[in-house]
Amino acid sequence: MTTRPAVLFVCVHNAGRSQMAAGWLRHLAGETVEVRSAGSEPADRINPVAVEAMREVGIDITANTPRILTSEAVQDSDVVVTMGCGDACPFYPGKRYEDWELDDPAGQDIEAVRPIRDEIRRRVEELIASLS
């Protein structure tokens, strides 16, 4: 029996980029990948513009809530994708780490968030291909 790879997306507030990435991965990979997201300083709620941008492409992330990044979440993941959290992410040997440089959607309007959403999709598609 093969176990599903676990992917953890991390950004500072776990309210925009990491939530959109988690939404894309769940949508595109289904049950083949275990999806997690967290933030080093989680916000109170998900960025409403990120929710709107994902709704435009048929993905509902409204029920998601920002979560605090824990060492256990990193240890239990096969791939850790960071998005602007810098040194806040714990490092464990043997884990695969990727750092995606993406604009922060915080405080931006929908026109500015759409290209971020689309770039995240492109990177998630590449990630899925690399996991197979």
Side-chain angles (χ1 to χ4, degrees):
M1 178 176 142
T2 353
T3 57
R4 302 182 302 163
V7 176
L8 171 64
F9 294 105
V10 182
C11 66
V12 176
H13 300 296
N14 190 218
R17 294 167 289 187
S18 57
Q19 292 287 352
M20 288 191 288
W24 275 122
L25 186 56
R26 281 187 193 96
H27 179 75
L28 296 170
E31 295 297 315
T32 63
V33 178
E34 187 174 332
V35 182
R36 303 175 175 143
S37 70
S40 51
E41 298 172 25
D44 295 333
R45 64 187 178 111
I46 295 183
N47 178 339
V49 182
V51 171
E52 179 184 349
M54 294 301 284
R55 186 178 295 125
E56 288 181 349
V57 293
I59 300 171
D60 183 5
I61 61 171
T62 54
N64 298 4
T65 55
R67 297 189 182 333
I68 186 75
L69 175 65
T70 64
S71 294
E72 293 77 25
V74 176
Q75 283 180 299
D76 294 343
S77 298
D78 300 299
V79 180
V80 179
V81 179
T82 59
M83 305 171 187
C85 67
D87 296 334
C89 300
F91 180 84
Y92 291 94
K95 299 289 174 196
R96 175 177 156 193
Y97 289 86
E98 292 188 16
D99 184 47
W100 293 357
E101 288 189 29
L102 297 160
D103 290 336
D104 189 346
Q108 303 214 43
D109 64 16
I110 190 68
E111 286 77 24
V113 174
R114 285 182 185 124
I116 300 168
R117 173 201 64 203
D118 297 343
E119 175 63 13
I120 291 171
R121 178 187 179 137
R122 186 188 69 73
R123 291 179 189 219
V124 166
E125 288 171 339
E126 288 177 357
L127 177 65
I128 292 168
S130 76
L131 293 173
S132 340

